[in-house]
Amino acid sequence: QAFFCLLLCVPWGSSCPPSCQCTERAGAKAVLCSSRHLEEIPKDIPKDAVFLKLDANSITRIPSNAFRHLSHLEELDLSRNAIEKIDRAAFKGVAAGLRTLDLSSNRIRSIPKEALLALNAKLRLANNPWHCECALQEVLWEAQLDPDSVQDITCHTAPREEYVGKPLLQVLDAGVNFCSVRQRTMDVAMFITMFGWFTMVIVYVICYVRHNREDTCKHVDYLKSLPSTQGHAE
């Protein structure tokens, strides 16, 4: 009877995932799931978690709304995983209260800027195989990056070979603007598309005029072939 009473009295939101350890840190709940061979984010993380450590696991993706139920979350450590994909709404629901987010030492090549620019958290993005592009540049300029790790955001791949292996900040300080490169590419693509449509219109007009001319000539030849009214009168 005492056992069932205990089950009823313990709030379900305070349960701890079997692969993690839940403890108190400065009066706030900390959920420690470091080095637990996790391949995805646990579904049953307590709703009152303030600190969440998921580092040193084998997580490969952060899906949309992965932490939406954790409205009290302030610190999130996802470093030293195998993360390759981060959905646009990955941090939806925790953007306002999150103070630090560690995504360092993963396999992230690119990330939707919408996933990070909505955050007020201090970001750690170092030691990832980044592809230097416009979205990453916008994150660097607009997000709140950890100043101690920003120099370790390095171009693993880039539009030009000379940028590979260099810190992104150094490349941008040299005057490179990846967003203007993308804009020029879009402008060229738009010009080619418009030129294609214009060419199609011109070809259509030429074919239309030629077709009408042929019909007119045929009609004139037909009229010439008819007996004249003068011939009937004679």
Side-chain angles (χ1 to χ4, degrees), residues 128-161:
N128 281 286
W130 291 108
H131 174 66
C132 289
E133 57 181 348
C134 182
L136 183 59
Q137 174 180 319
E138 290 178 339
V139 168
L140 188 66
W141 288 141
E142 300 181 35
Q144 299 183 36
L145 298 177
D146 181 5
D148 295 333
S149 64
V150 68
Q151 287 292 344
D152 294 323
I153 301 177
T154 304
C155 297
H156 185 76
T157 56
R160 297 177 61 173
E161 188 67 26

PDB file of all heavy atoms in Angstrom, residues 128-161:
ATOM      1  N   ASN A 128      33.675  21.774 -36.144  1.00  0.00           N
ATOM      2  CA  ASN A 128      32.745  21.087 -37.029  1.00  0.00           C
ATOM      3  C   ASN A 128      33.261  21.235 -38.463  1.00  0.00           C
ATOM      4  O   ASN A 128      33.941  22.216 -38.770  1.00  0.00           O
ATOM      5  CB  ASN A 128      31.335  21.685 -36.924  1.00  0.00           C
ATOM      6  CG  ASN A 128      30.587  21.195 -35.698  1.00  0.00           C
ATOM      7  OD1 ASN A 128      30.136  20.056 -35.637  1.00  0.00           O
ATOM      8  ND2 ASN A 128      30.451  22.068 -34.705  1.00  0.00           N
ATOM      9  N   PRO A 129      32.947  20.304 -39.350  1.00  0.00           N
ATOM     10  CA  PRO A 129      33.417  20.408 -40.743  1.00  0.00           C
ATOM     11  C   PRO A 129      32.550  21.358 -41.563  1.00  0.00           C
ATOM     12  O   PRO A 129      31.876  20.963 -42.522  1.00  0.00           O
ATOM     13  CB  PRO A 129      33.301  18.968 -41.253  1.00  0.00           C
ATOM     14  CG  PRO A 129      32.170  18.385 -40.468  1.00  0.00           C
ATOM     15  CD  PRO A 129      32.264  19.019 -39.105  1.00  0.00           C
ATOM     16  N   TRP A 130      32.568  22.633 -41.220  1.00  0.00           N
ATOM     17  CA  TRP A 130      31.661  23.606 -41.808  1.00  0.00           C
ATOM     18  C   TRP A 130      31.907  23.823 -43.296  1.00  0.00           C
ATOM     19  O   TRP A 130      33.055  23.869 -43.755  1.00  0.00           O
ATOM     20  CB  TRP A 130      31.794  24.949 -41.106  1.00  0.00           C
ATOM     21  CG  TRP A 130      31.285  24.970 -39.706  1.00  0.00           C
ATOM     22  CD1 TRP A 130      32.021  25.026 -38.551  1.00  0.00           C
ATOM     23  CD2 TRP A 130      29.921  24.922 -39.294  1.00  0.00           C
ATOM     24  NE1 TRP A 130      31.200  25.022 -37.454  1.00  0.00           N
ATOM     25  CE2 TRP A 130      29.908  24.954 -37.879  1.00  0.00           C
ATOM     26  CE3 TRP A 130      28.701  24.856 -39.984  1.00  0.00           C
ATOM     27  CZ2 TRP A 130      28.719  24.935 -37.150  1.00  0.00           C
ATOM     28  CZ3 TRP A 130      27.532  24.826 -39.256  1.00  0.00           C
ATOM     29  CH2 TRP A 130      27.542  24.863 -37.859  1.00  0.00           C
ATOM     30  N   HIS A 131      30.807  23.977 -44.031  1.00  0.00           N
ATOM     31  CA  HIS A 131      30.880  24.480 -45.406  1.00  0.00           C
ATOM     32  C   HIS A 131      30.585  25.963 -45.338  1.00  0.00           C
ATOM     33  O   HIS A 131      29.481  26.369 -44.971  1.00  0.00           O
ATOM     34  CB  HIS A 131      29.862  23.777 -46.308  1.00  0.00           C
ATOM     35  CG  HIS A 131      29.796  24.364 -47.695  1.00  0.00           C
ATOM     36  ND1 HIS A 131      30.856  24.292 -48.574  1.00  0.00           N
ATOM     37  CD2 HIS A 131      28.818  25.045 -48.333  1.00  0.00           C
ATOM     38  CE1 HIS A 131      30.532  24.895 -49.699  1.00  0.00           C
ATOM     39  NE2 HIS A 131      29.295  25.362 -49.578  1.00  0.00           N
ATOM     40  N   CYS A 132      31.569  26.774 -45.645  1.00  0.00           N
ATOM     41  CA  CYS A 132      31.415  28.221 -45.511  1.00  0.00           C
ATOM     42  C   CYS A 132      30.489  28.750 -46.596  1.00  0.00           C
ATOM     43  O   CYS A 132      30.781  28.641 -47.797  1.00  0.00           O
ATOM     44  CB  CYS A 132      32.783  28.905 -45.576  1.00  0.00           C
ATOM     45  SG  CYS A 132      33.771  28.602 -44.091  1.00  0.00           S
ATOM     46  N   GLU A 133      29.381  29.316 -46.170  1.00  0.00           N
ATOM     47  CA  GLU A 133      28.356  29.811 -47.084  1.00  0.00           C
ATOM     48  C   GLU A 133      27.639  30.977 -46.424  1.00  0.00           C
ATOM     49  O   GLU A 133      27.974  31.392 -45.305  1.00  0.00           O
ATOM     50  CB  GLU A 133      27.357  28.699 -47.406  1.00  0.00           C
ATOM     51  CG  GLU A 133      26.706  28.130 -46.156  1.00  0.00           C
ATOM     52  CD  GLU A 133      25.728  27.013 -46.453  1.00  0.00           C
ATOM     53  OE1 GLU A 133      25.391  26.825 -47.627  1.00  0.00           O
ATOM     54  OE2 GLU A 133      25.289  26.352 -45.495  1.00  0.00           O
ATOM     55  N   CYS A 134      26.619  31.513 -47.128  1.00  0.00           N
ATOM     56  CA  CYS A 134      25.914  32.700 -46.651  1.00  0.00           C
ATOM     57  C   CYS A 134      25.219  32.467 -45.314  1.00  0.00           C
ATOM     58  O   CYS A 134      25.285  33.311 -44.419  1.00  0.00           O
ATOM     59  CB  CYS A 134      24.902  33.142 -47.704  1.00  0.00           C
ATOM     60  SG  CYS A 134      23.991  34.645 -47.258  1.00  0.00           S
ATOM     61  N   ALA A 135      24.553  31.319 -45.148  1.00  0.00           N
ATOM     62  CA  ALA A 135      23.814  31.055 -43.909  1.00  0.00           C
ATOM     63  C   ALA A 135      24.744  31.052 -42.702  1.00  0.00           C
ATOM     64  O   ALA A 135      24.423  31.608 -41.651  1.00  0.00           O
ATOM     65  CB  ALA A 135      23.073  29.721 -44.016  1.00  0.00           C
ATOM     66  N   LEU A 136      25.912  30.434 -42.856  1.00  0.00           N
ATOM     67  CA  LEU A 136      26.870  30.401 -41.756  1.00  0.00           C
ATOM     68  C   LEU A 136      27.423  31.798 -41.480  1.00  0.00           C
ATOM     69  O   LEU A 136      27.640  32.172 -40.321  1.00  0.00           O
ATOM     70  CB  LEU A 136      28.011  29.430 -42.086  1.00  0.00           C
ATOM     71  CG  LEU A 136      29.067  29.236 -40.995  1.00  0.00           C
ATOM     72  CD1 LEU A 136      28.441  28.724 -39.708  1.00  0.00           C
ATOM     73  CD2 LEU A 136      30.162  28.279 -41.471  1.00  0.00           C
ATOM     74  N   GLN A 137      27.635  32.569 -42.515  1.00  0.00           N
ATOM     75  CA  GLN A 137      28.102  33.950 -42.337  1.00  0.00           C
ATOM     76  C   GLN A 137      27.079  34.765 -41.556  1.00  0.00           C
ATOM     77  O   GLN A 137      27.444  35.525 -40.649  1.00  0.00           O
ATOM     78  CB  GLN A 137      28.330  34.590 -43.704  1.00  0.00           C
ATOM     79  CG  GLN A 137      28.688  36.075 -43.643  1.00  0.00           C
ATOM     80  CD  GLN A 137      28.901  36.668 -45.015  1.00  0.00           C
ATOM     81  OE1 GLN A 137      29.502  36.043 -45.886  1.00  0.00           O
ATOM     82  NE2 GLN A 137      28.387  37.866 -45.238  1.00  0.00           N
ATOM     83  N   GLU A 138      25.799  34.602 -41.877  1.00  0.00           N
ATOM     84  CA  GLU A 138      24.761  35.352 -41.172  1.00  0.00           C
ATOM     85  C   GLU A 138      24.681  34.940 -39.701  1.00  0.00           C
ATOM     86  O   GLU A 138      24.438  35.780 -38.829  1.00  0.00           O
ATOM     87  CB  GLU A 138      23.418  35.140 -41.873  1.00  0.00           C
ATOM     88  CG  GLU A 138      23.341  35.810 -43.235  1.00  0.00           C
ATOM     89  CD  GLU A 138      22.032  35.566 -43.942  1.00  0.00           C
ATOM     90  OE1 GLU A 138      21.337  34.588 -43.593  1.00  0.00           O
ATOM     91  OE2 GLU A 138      21.691  36.345 -44.848  1.00  0.00           O
ATOM     92  N   VAL A 139      24.882  33.648 -39.435  1.00  0.00           N
ATOM     93  CA  VAL A 139      24.907  33.187 -38.056  1.00  0.00           C
ATOM     94  C   VAL A 139      26.070  33.836 -37.307  1.00  0.00           C
ATOM     95  O   VAL A 139      25.933  34.293 -36.171  1.00  0.00           O
ATOM     96  CB  VAL A 139      25.015  31.656 -37.991  1.00  0.00           C
ATOM     97  CG1 VAL A 139      25.331  31.183 -36.576  1.00  0.00           C
ATOM     98  CG2 VAL A 139      23.716  31.013 -38.467  1.00  0.00           C
ATOM     99  N   LEU A 140      27.222  33.893 -37.956  1.00  0.00           N
ATOM    100  CA  LEU A 140      28.405  34.459 -37.313  1.00  0.00           C
ATOM    101  C   LEU A 140      28.199  35.930 -36.981  1.00  0.00           C
ATOM    102  O   LEU A 140      28.606  36.403 -35.908  1.00  0.00           O
ATOM    103  CB  LEU A 140      29.621  34.299 -38.227  1.00  0.00           C
ATOM    104  CG  LEU A 140      30.968  34.681 -37.615  1.00  0.00           C
ATOM    105  CD1 LEU A 140      31.333  33.745 -36.477  1.00  0.00           C
ATOM    106  CD2 LEU A 140      32.069  34.681 -38.656  1.00  0.00           C
ATOM    107  N   TRP A 141      27.540  36.676 -37.873  1.00  0.00           N
ATOM    108  CA  TRP A 141      27.369  38.107 -37.651  1.00  0.00           C
ATOM    109  C   TRP A 141      26.233  38.414 -36.682  1.00  0.00           C
ATOM    110  O   TRP A 141      26.297  39.398 -35.942  1.00  0.00           O
ATOM    111  CB  TRP A 141      27.095  38.822 -38.974  1.00  0.00           C
ATOM    112  CG  TRP A 141      28.263  38.949 -39.902  1.00  0.00           C
ATOM    113  CD1 TRP A 141      28.236  38.828 -41.252  1.00  0.00           C
ATOM    114  CD2 TRP A 141      29.636  39.241 -39.576  1.00  0.00           C
ATOM    115  NE1 TRP A 141      29.498  39.014 -41.785  1.00  0.00           N
ATOM    116  CE2 TRP A 141      30.374  39.270 -40.775  1.00  0.00           C
ATOM    117  CE3 TRP A 141      30.311  39.459 -38.377  1.00  0.00           C
ATOM    118  CZ2 TRP A 141      31.743  39.520 -40.819  1.00  0.00           C
ATOM    119  CZ3 TRP A 141      31.688  39.703 -38.418  1.00  0.00           C
ATOM    120  CH2 TRP A 141      32.377  39.733 -39.621  1.00  0.00           C
ATOM    121  N   GLU A 142      25.185  37.598 -36.676  1.00  0.00           N
ATOM    122  CA  GLU A 142      23.973  37.965 -35.936  1.00  0.00           C
ATOM    123  C   GLU A 142      23.764  37.180 -34.643  1.00  0.00           C
ATOM    124  O   GLU A 142      23.106  37.673 -33.728  1.00  0.00           O
ATOM    125  CB  GLU A 142      22.742  37.785 -36.842  1.00  0.00           C
ATOM    126  CG  GLU A 142      22.785  38.658 -38.104  1.00  0.00           C
ATOM    127  CD  GLU A 142      21.555  38.480 -38.957  1.00  0.00           C
ATOM    128  OE1 GLU A 142      20.466  38.278 -38.389  1.00  0.00           O
ATOM    129  OE2 GLU A 142      21.673  38.542 -40.199  1.00  0.00           O
ATOM    130  N   ALA A 143      24.272  35.953 -34.554  1.00  0.00           N
ATOM    131  CA  ALA A 143      24.072  35.146 -33.346  1.00  0.00           C
ATOM    132  C   ALA A 143      25.068  35.558 -32.257  1.00  0.00           C
ATOM    133  O   ALA A 143      26.059  36.232 -32.520  1.00  0.00           O
ATOM    134  CB  ALA A 143      24.215  33.667 -33.673  1.00  0.00           C
ATOM    135  N   GLN A 144      24.804  35.108 -31.040  1.00  0.00           N
ATOM    136  CA  GLN A 144      25.681  35.401 -29.900  1.00  0.00           C
ATOM    137  C   GLN A 144      26.655  34.236 -29.722  1.00  0.00           C
ATOM    138  O   GLN A 144      26.385  33.295 -28.986  1.00  0.00           O
ATOM    139  CB  GLN A 144      24.846  35.608 -28.637  1.00  0.00           C
ATOM    140  CG  GLN A 144      23.875  36.764 -28.728  1.00  0.00           C
ATOM    141  CD  GLN A 144      23.118  36.964 -27.425  1.00  0.00           C
ATOM    142  OE1 GLN A 144      23.659  36.776 -26.345  1.00  0.00           O
ATOM    143  NE2 GLN A 144      21.855  37.351 -27.525  1.00  0.00           N
ATOM    144  N   LEU A 145      27.777  34.315 -30.410  1.00  0.00           N
ATOM    145  CA  LEU A 145      28.760  33.242 -30.350  1.00  0.00           C
ATOM    146  C   LEU A 145      29.684  33.400 -29.151  1.00  0.00           C
ATOM    147  O   LEU A 145      29.999  34.517 -28.735  1.00  0.00           O
ATOM    148  CB  LEU A 145      29.584  33.216 -31.638  1.00  0.00           C
ATOM    149  CG  LEU A 145      28.807  32.936 -32.928  1.00  0.00           C
ATOM    150  CD1 LEU A 145      29.735  33.008 -34.124  1.00  0.00           C
ATOM    151  CD2 LEU A 145      28.130  31.579 -32.866  1.00  0.00           C
ATOM    152  N   ASP A 146      30.118  32.275 -28.629  1.00  0.00           N
ATOM    153  CA  ASP A 146      31.085  32.276 -27.536  1.00  0.00           C
ATOM    154  C   ASP A 146      32.411  32.830 -28.064  1.00  0.00           C
ATOM    155  O   ASP A 146      33.015  32.241 -28.970  1.00  0.00           O
ATOM    156  CB  ASP A 146      31.273  30.843 -27.027  1.00  0.00           C
ATOM    157  CG  ASP A 146      32.253  30.757 -25.862  1.00  0.00           C
ATOM    158  OD1 ASP A 146      32.701  31.827 -25.397  1.00  0.00           O
ATOM    159  OD2 ASP A 146      32.560  29.642 -25.424  1.00  0.00           O
ATOM    160  N   PRO A 147      32.871  33.959 -27.557  1.00  0.00           N
ATOM    161  CA  PRO A 147      34.100  34.571 -28.096  1.00  0.00           C
ATOM    162  C   PRO A 147      35.328  33.682 -27.956  1.00  0.00           C
ATOM    163  O   PRO A 147      36.282  33.831 -28.732  1.00  0.00           O
ATOM    164  CB  PRO A 147      34.237  35.860 -27.269  1.00  0.00           C
ATOM    165  CG  PRO A 147      33.431  35.629 -26.040  1.00  0.00           C
ATOM    166  CD  PRO A 147      32.297  34.743 -26.448  1.00  0.00           C
ATOM    167  N   ASP A 148      35.328  32.776 -27.001  1.00  0.00           N
ATOM    168  CA  ASP A 148      36.498  31.914 -26.809  1.00  0.00           C
ATOM    169  C   ASP A 148      36.604  30.816 -27.861  1.00  0.00           C
ATOM    170  O   ASP A 148      37.669  30.206 -28.009  1.00  0.00           O
ATOM    171  CB  ASP A 148      36.445  31.259 -25.418  1.00  0.00           C
ATOM    172  CG  ASP A 148      36.564  32.288 -24.297  1.00  0.00           C
ATOM    173  OD1 ASP A 148      37.176  33.345 -24.540  1.00  0.00           O
ATOM    174  OD2 ASP A 148      36.019  32.041 -23.206  1.00  0.00           O
ATOM    175  N   SER A 149      35.521  30.559 -28.596  1.00  0.00           N
ATOM    176  CA  SER A 149      35.543  29.457 -29.562  1.00  0.00           C
ATOM    177  C   SER A 149      35.310  29.904 -31.004  1.00  0.00           C
ATOM    178  O   SER A 149      35.356  29.085 -31.917  1.00  0.00           O
ATOM    179  CB  SER A 149      34.471  28.414 -29.188  1.00  0.00           C
ATOM    180  OG  SER A 149      33.172  28.966 -29.271  1.00  0.00           O
ATOM    181  N   VAL A 150      35.053  31.198 -31.195  1.00  0.00           N
ATOM    182  CA  VAL A 150      34.714  31.653 -32.543  1.00  0.00           C
ATOM    183  C   VAL A 150      35.860  31.453 -33.529  1.00  0.00           C
ATOM    184  O   VAL A 150      35.652  31.220 -34.721  1.00  0.00           O
ATOM    185  CB  VAL A 150      34.270  33.135 -32.503  1.00  0.00           C
ATOM    186  CG1 VAL A 150      35.431  34.046 -32.146  1.00  0.00           C
ATOM    187  CG2 VAL A 150      33.642  33.543 -33.813  1.00  0.00           C
ATOM    188  N   GLN A 151      37.106  31.533 -33.063  1.00  0.00           N
ATOM    189  CA  GLN A 151      38.257  31.346 -33.944  1.00  0.00           C
ATOM    190  C   GLN A 151      38.384  29.907 -34.438  1.00  0.00           C
ATOM    191  O   GLN A 151      39.095  29.633 -35.398  1.00  0.00           O
ATOM    192  CB  GLN A 151      39.541  31.762 -33.227  1.00  0.00           C
ATOM    193  CG  GLN A 151      39.707  33.261 -33.063  1.00  0.00           C
ATOM    194  CD  GLN A 151      39.939  33.973 -34.394  1.00  0.00           C
ATOM    195  OE1 GLN A 151      40.267  33.349 -35.403  1.00  0.00           O
ATOM    196  NE2 GLN A 151      39.787  35.292 -34.396  1.00  0.00           N
ATOM    197  N   ASP A 152      37.688  28.973 -33.776  1.00  0.00           N
ATOM    198  CA  ASP A 152      37.758  27.566 -34.168  1.00  0.00           C
ATOM    199  C   ASP A 152      36.639  27.160 -35.109  1.00  0.00           C
ATOM    200  O   ASP A 152      36.458  25.971 -35.393  1.00  0.00           O
ATOM    201  CB  ASP A 152      37.727  26.675 -32.916  1.00  0.00           C
ATOM    202  CG  ASP A 152      38.979  26.848 -32.057  1.00  0.00           C
ATOM    203  OD1 ASP A 152      40.065  27.013 -32.637  1.00  0.00           O
ATOM    204  OD2 ASP A 152      38.855  26.840 -30.825  1.00  0.00           O
ATOM    205  N   ILE A 153      35.881  28.133 -35.614  1.00  0.00           N
ATOM    206  CA  ILE A 153      34.893  27.857 -36.663  1.00  0.00           C
ATOM    207  C   ILE A 153      35.641  27.956 -37.990  1.00  0.00           C
ATOM    208  O   ILE A 153      35.874  29.048 -38.513  1.00  0.00           O
ATOM    209  CB  ILE A 153      33.723  28.852 -36.605  1.00  0.00           C
ATOM    210  CG1 ILE A 153      33.042  28.787 -35.242  1.00  0.00           C
ATOM    211  CG2 ILE A 153      32.719  28.557 -37.713  1.00  0.00           C
ATOM    212  CD1 ILE A 153      31.927  29.793 -35.064  1.00  0.00           C
ATOM    213  N   THR A 154      36.026  26.810 -38.516  1.00  0.00           N
ATOM    214  CA  THR A 154      36.935  26.753 -39.663  1.00  0.00           C
ATOM    215  C   THR A 154      36.215  26.255 -40.911  1.00  0.00           C
ATOM    216  O   THR A 154      35.321  25.419 -40.835  1.00  0.00           O
ATOM    217  CB  THR A 154      38.121  25.823 -39.351  1.00  0.00           C
ATOM    218  OG1 THR A 154      38.764  26.291 -38.154  1.00  0.00           O
ATOM    219  CG2 THR A 154      39.127  25.804 -40.473  1.00  0.00           C
ATOM    220  N   CYS A 155      36.621  26.774 -42.062  1.00  0.00           N
ATOM    221  CA  CYS A 155      36.048  26.349 -43.342  1.00  0.00           C
ATOM    222  C   CYS A 155      36.629  24.991 -43.743  1.00  0.00           C
ATOM    223  O   CYS A 155      37.797  24.906 -44.127  1.00  0.00           O
ATOM    224  CB  CYS A 155      36.348  27.376 -44.431  1.00  0.00           C
ATOM    225  SG  CYS A 155      35.609  29.002 -44.144  1.00  0.00           S
ATOM    226  N   HIS A 156      35.826  23.953 -43.625  1.00  0.00           N
ATOM    227  CA  HIS A 156      36.255  22.626 -44.092  1.00  0.00           C
ATOM    228  C   HIS A 156      36.121  22.534 -45.608  1.00  0.00           C
ATOM    229  O   HIS A 156      36.957  21.930 -46.282  1.00  0.00           O
ATOM    230  CB  HIS A 156      35.419  21.545 -43.410  1.00  0.00           C
ATOM    231  CG  HIS A 156      35.848  20.153 -43.730  1.00  0.00           C
ATOM    232  ND1 HIS A 156      36.970  19.570 -43.184  1.00  0.00           N
ATOM    233  CD2 HIS A 156      35.286  19.208 -44.533  1.00  0.00           C
ATOM    234  CE1 HIS A 156      37.098  18.338 -43.648  1.00  0.00           C
ATOM    235  NE2 HIS A 156      36.088  18.093 -44.460  1.00  0.00           N
ATOM    236  N   THR A 157      35.052  23.121 -46.135  1.00  0.00           N
ATOM    237  CA  THR A 157      34.866  23.279 -47.582  1.00  0.00           C
ATOM    238  C   THR A 157      34.387  24.700 -47.828  1.00  0.00           C
ATOM    239  O   THR A 157      33.841  25.353 -46.934  1.00  0.00           O
ATOM    240  CB  THR A 157      33.837  22.283 -48.140  1.00  0.00           C
ATOM    241  OG1 THR A 157      32.594  22.438 -47.435  1.00  0.00           O
ATOM    242  CG2 THR A 157      34.325  20.850 -47.992  1.00  0.00           C
ATOM    243  N   ALA A 158      34.584  25.184 -49.056  1.00  0.00           N
ATOM    244  CA  ALA A 158      34.222  26.560 -49.394  1.00  0.00           C
ATOM    245  C   ALA A 158      34.126  26.688 -50.907  1.00  0.00           C
ATOM    246  O   ALA A 158      34.630  25.834 -51.641  1.00  0.00           O
ATOM    247  CB  ALA A 158      35.270  27.540 -48.827  1.00  0.00           C
ATOM    248  N   PRO A 159      33.472  27.748 -51.405  1.00  0.00           N
ATOM    249  CA  PRO A 159      33.372  27.949 -52.849  1.00  0.00           C
ATOM    250  C   PRO A 159      34.720  28.080 -53.541  1.00  0.00           C
ATOM    251  O   PRO A 159      34.857  27.746 -54.714  1.00  0.00           O
ATOM    252  CB  PRO A 159      32.563  29.255 -52.967  1.00  0.00           C
ATOM    253  CG  PRO A 159      31.818  29.363 -51.684  1.00  0.00           C
ATOM    254  CD  PRO A 159      32.709  28.755 -50.650  1.00  0.00           C
ATOM    255  N   ARG A 160      35.735  28.557 -52.810  1.00  0.00           N
ATOM    256  CA  ARG A 160      37.072  28.697 -53.378  1.00  0.00           C
ATOM    257  C   ARG A 160      38.072  27.976 -52.496  1.00  0.00           C
ATOM    258  O   ARG A 160      38.010  28.046 -51.264  1.00  0.00           O
ATOM    259  CB  ARG A 160      37.432  30.184 -53.520  1.00  0.00           C
ATOM    260  CG  ARG A 160      36.509  30.925 -54.485  1.00  0.00           C
ATOM    261  CD  ARG A 160      36.830  32.408 -54.563  1.00  0.00           C
ATOM    262  NE  ARG A 160      38.166  32.647 -55.044  1.00  0.00           N
ATOM    263  CZ  ARG A 160      38.656  33.861 -55.328  1.00  0.00           C
ATOM    264  NH1 ARG A 160      37.890  34.927 -55.168  1.00  0.00           N
ATOM    265  NH2 ARG A 160      39.884  34.004 -55.751  1.00  0.00           N
ATOM    266  N   GLU A 161      39.002  27.308 -53.118  1.00  0.00           N
ATOM    267  CA  GLU A 161      39.977  26.471 -52.414  1.00  0.00           C
ATOM    268  C   GLU A 161      40.829  27.272 -51.432  1.00  0.00           C
ATOM    269  O   GLU A 161      41.248  26.753 -50.391  1.00  0.00           O
ATOM    270  CB  GLU A 161      40.879  25.767 -53.440  1.00  0.00           C
ATOM    271  CG  GLU A 161      41.816  24.732 -52.854  1.00  0.00           C
ATOM    272  CD  GLU A 161      41.085  23.523 -52.297  1.00  0.00           C
ATOM    273  OE1 GLU A 161      39.968  23.241 -52.772  1.00  0.00           O
ATOM    274  OE2 GLU A 161      41.636  22.866 -51.390  1.00  0.00           O
TER     275      GLU A 161
END
